[in-house]
Amino acid sequence: MNTAMTKEGLEQILDQALQDVTERTAGVRLCQGDQPLGEDLCTVHITFDKGFGTSLTLCADTGLLVRMAQNSFHEEAVSPEDLEEFSKEYFNVLCGKVAGAMFRATQVAAHFGPPVFTHGRYEPEGQAAQIVLTYAAEGNTEGAQLIHHVPKP
C-alpha cells in the first residue's frame, strides 16, 4: 500500500473508513487521540494477500468491542463467541471499505484473507508497523488502535 500513495493519504483512508464503519455498524463514535489501551485487549488481523503485501490490525479494549457488539446486536448479553463473530465481521466490513478506497485511489485491486481474532495483542511476524492510529471512544476511557503493517526489509 505504501508505494501506491502517500502515507498521509493512506492514513486518511484508514481513519475515514474506521470512523464511518464504527459509527454505522456499532453506533460508537471514535476520536483520534492518545488514549492508552488497557490490559484486557482483543485483536483482529487480516493480510492483503493480493494487490498489496501488507496487513491491517485492530487492537482494542475488550470492553469497547463488547459495547460495539451490544449496540450492533441490540442485546445486553454478548457471549465470547458473539464477541469474536462480531469483531471479525466488523473488521471484514472495515477492510472491504479500505480496499475499495485504495482501489479508487490507486487502481490496484486488493484481496484479503479472512479476519483472525485473538485475545490479547497480536503482532504479525515479519512485519513492522508503518501507521498506528490511536482512538478513544467518545465519552469513555476505552480505546483502540488501527495498525497498518508492511513487510520488514
Side-chain angles (χ1 to χ4, degrees):
M1 282 184 186
N2 60 332
T3 59
M5 66 184 322
T6 66
K7 184 177 174 185
E8 292 76 21
L10 179 55
E11 284 180 12
Q12 187 174 10
I13 285 173
L14 295 172
D15 178 54
Q16 185 66 44
L18 182 97
Q19 291 197 40
D20 181 52
V21 169
T22 304
E23 191 164 348
R24 285 191 310 145
T25 63
V28 173
R29 273 199 122 117
L30 295 177
C31 306
Q32 276 200 51
D34 54 3
Q35 174 71 30
L37 298 182
E39 297 291 315
D40 186 12
L41 303 172
C42 292
T43 303
V44 192
H45 174 80
I46 64 97
T47 299
F48 287 96
D49 51 18
K50 178 181 168 224
F52 306 108
T54 63
S55 64
L56 280 177
T57 302
L58 177 73
C59 186
D61 287 313
T62 301
L64 175 60
L65 290 174
V66 167
R67 189 158 53 100
M68 290 168 57
Q70 288 170 330
N71 290 351
S72 181
F73 296 153
H74 304 289
E75 293 188 17
E76 268 311 298
V78 176
S79 71
E81 295 80 16
D82 290 340
L83 178 63
E84 179 175 343
E85 197 56 41
F86 166 78
S87 298
K88 288 169 29 176
E89 186 58 35
Y90 160 80
F91 202 56
N92 200 41
V93 171
L94 174 63
C95 292
K97 189 164 184 77
V98 168
M102 290 300 300
F103 178 77
R104 287 188 295 282
T106 66
Q107 300 304 302
V108 174
H111 177 268
F112 52 91
V116 177
F117 179 85
T118 310
H119 288 282
R121 184 180 285 276
Y122 171 78
E123 301 282 338
E125 280 187 42
Q127 298 206 329
Q130 179 201 37
I131 297 171
V132 179
L133 301 175
T134 302
Y135 296 88
E138 193 173 73
N140 205 303
T141 59
E142 299 161 330
Q145 287 184 328
L146 182 62
I147 306 161
H148 176 253
H149 294 92
V150 296
K152 288 183 178 173

